[in-house]
Amino acid sequence: MSSAEIAALLRWYGTSRRRLPWRERPSPYRVWVSEIMLQQTQVATALPYYRRFLRRFPSLRALARASERDVLGHWAGLGYYARARSLRRAAREVLSRHRGRLPSDPDSLRGLPGIGRYTAAAVSSIAFGRHHALADGNVARVLSRFLLLEGRAGSARLDARVWEAAHEAMAAGRSMGSARFHPGDWNQSLMELGALVCLPQSPLCGDCPWIRRCAAFRAGKQETVPAPKRALAAVRVPMTALLVRRSEELLLTRRPGTERLLSGHWALPEPKQLPRARRGRLLGTVRHSITRHRIVLQVREGFLEDGPLPAGAIWVSRKRLDAFLVSSLWRKAVAFRQR
Ligand code: SF4
């Protein structure tokens, strides 16, 4: 990639980028939280969660000292809760192993929970100005079109070519000197072009600073490169939960860490967790999707027999349910409690 092409995209980024809170004050902690939130979540969806999360946990120290339940409570509704758990665990490790300062090099960053190759390069380049290339879905689409790298989106073969192209572009930018090239801006400019202009369907090539140089556009292949991913088949997951009441309280249990979905979450108990409970009438059915899993949850009344509570079960008052039930699956399920 030539320095003129790099400069053109950076100029576009300077005038067209979205003003986002993690860009306006890009501390390592803020950039890190934003990158974790933006994994699997669109910017517009993540924004209110990001603001709320930063208000409650304004620093890495505040996050490290918070309870897991508090952190999950402030992630509630965003989904993919393993991200929130990893974020908290990583903050604790940074406090104990790195004296509270997020490391700047990608290898050390990748040693922390929840940080992979992409996130390490993003934090290192955006927050610390290090020359590390990255390729997420947006960058892969932009580079594969600009350079006409053909292949299936997300395939190992195309990913390898895209990462190689990203490294070459970063090296070319670096040779332009620090006055003209900032690695974090460069990485964000590629991502921003993918998010705003080089869209998966119907890219807005007329608005693109690279229209004259783009190989896919010149070949008339901007709509067909890269080839779409093969869709994974949906998996139906039938579940049953028991709604056990005691006046204004509900019985909750924690899902074992071995569960495939929502492991470690507080939830309505499943019958296997309450072998001595009697099942009552069906209160309703909740349909909920997590990635490709289509959960069909039957919510039934449950009645405990006299005796001690099963291990790990607790009574929680109606007012405190939101602090425990993080996933909207369970929030929909407890809505049947009134009926
Ligand atoms: S010209 Fe079109 S296809 Fe090429 S990079 Fe720009 S938006 Fe994408």
Side-chain angles (χ1 to χ4, degrees):
M1 193 173 292
S2 71
S3 54
E5 289 161 349
I6 291 171
L9 185 57
L10 285 171
R11 269 197 305 280
W12 172 85
Y13 180 67
T15 56
S16 305
R17 70 177 187 201
R18 290 166 292 180
R19 308 285 150 188
L20 300 171
W22 49 88
R23 285 187 180 153
E24 304 314 312
R25 287 194 288 137
S27 75
Y29 173 67
R30 292 164 64 86
V31 170
W32 173 44
V33 172
S34 73
E35 287 297 334
I36 300 294
M37 267 194 188
L38 293 173
Q39 293 168 3
Q40 292 126 337
T41 305
Q42 302 278 336
V43 166
T45 307
L47 264 174
Y49 289 93
Y50 177 85
R51 293 199 174 101
R52 195 163 65 110
F53 197 86
L54 264 286
R55 267 200 304 277
R56 174 65 188 87
F57 312 111
S59 66
L60 188 143
R61 249 165 234 281
L63 178 60
R65 288 175 180 154
S67 70
E68 184 180 289
R69 188 151 59 81
D70 197 5
V71 174
L72 286 174
H74 283 78
W75 202 272
L78 256 187
Y80 301 98
Y81 297 97
R83 294 181 296 177
R85 284 202 183 89
S86 296
L87 201 57
R88 174 177 170 273
R89 276 197 295 130
R92 293 165 78 89
E93 280 192 29
V94 171
L95 215 53
S96 62
R97 284 175 31 206
H98 300 283
R99 296 183 189 163
R101 299 176 79 91
L102 208 58
S104 61
D105 69 289
D107 286 343
S108 303
L109 284 165
R110 287 181 74 175
L112 296 168
I115 298 191
R117 182 186 188 189
Y118 162 79
T119 306
V123 173
S124 178
S125 62
I126 298 168
F128 296 104
R130 306 276 294 259
H131 291 82
H132 292 290
L134 54 75
D136 66 350
N138 280 332
V139 174
R141 188 169 60 255
V142 168
L143 289 179
S144 61
R145 286 175 177 168
F146 182 66
L147 300 168
L148 197 51
L149 309 174
E150 299 197 53
R152 197 170 284 285
S155 68
R157 192 168 146 268
L158 183 59
D159 272 358
R161 295 179 75 194
V162 163
W163 273 89
E164 193 185 327
H167 284 301
E168 285 171 10
M170 181 62 75
R174 187 172 197 166
S175 69
M176 292 164 64
S178 57
R180 295 177 63 208
F181 183 85
H182 184 281
D185 284 353
W186 169 246
N187 281 337
Q188 290 184 95
S189 70
L190 286 168
M191 292 190 255
E192 197 74 339
L193 191 71
L196 300 182
V197 177
C198 195
L199 307 174
Q201 277 95 39
S202 308
L204 309 172
C205 300
D207 296 337
C208 180
W210 277 350
I211 188 168
R212 288 173 199 280
R213 310 265 191 154
C214 174
F217 183 77
R218 288 208 301 238
K221 293 187 170 182
Q222 68 274 21
E223 307 254 356
T224 54
V225 169
K229 278 184 183 172
R230 277 201 186 90
L232 292 172
V235 180
R236 190 171 181 276
V237 183
M239 290 172 68
T240 303
L242 297 180
L243 207 140
V244 185
R245 282 177 267 219
R246 184 179 76 176
S247 181
E248 284 297 293
E249 295 175 313
L250 287 184
L251 191 71
L252 301 186
T253 52
R254 205 159 186 172
R255 290 171 65 74
T258 49
E259 290 286 351
R260 184 175 37 156
L261 297 170
L262 302 170
S263 67
H265 278 230
W266 285 102
L268 293 184
E270 291 188 74
K272 66 186 176 193
Q273 294 176 293
L274 300 180
R276 288 171 48 241
R278 185 167 56 78
R279 295 191 206 187
R281 68 192 166 107
L282 178 68
L283 296 171
T285 301
V286 177
R287 292 173 202 281
H288 183 82
S289 292
I290 298 178
T291 59
R292 64 194 180 106
H293 300 96
R294 308 284 177 264
I295 299 172
V296 182
L297 173 70
Q298 291 204 330
V299 184
R300 290 189 168 276
E301 275 185 319
F303 302 96
L304 283 183
E305 297 192 345
D306 286 345
L309 278 185
I314 55 171
W315 290 108
V316 175
S317 69
R318 197 155 52 107
K319 284 189 193 140
R320 297 183 64 220
L321 280 176
D322 278 356
F324 283 81
L325 299 177
V326 170
S327 166
S328 49
L329 170 68
W330 305 114
R331 293 187 177 189
K332 289 181 217 166
V334 297
F336 294 124
R337 69 178 182 269
Q338 306 286 22
R339 300 174 194 176

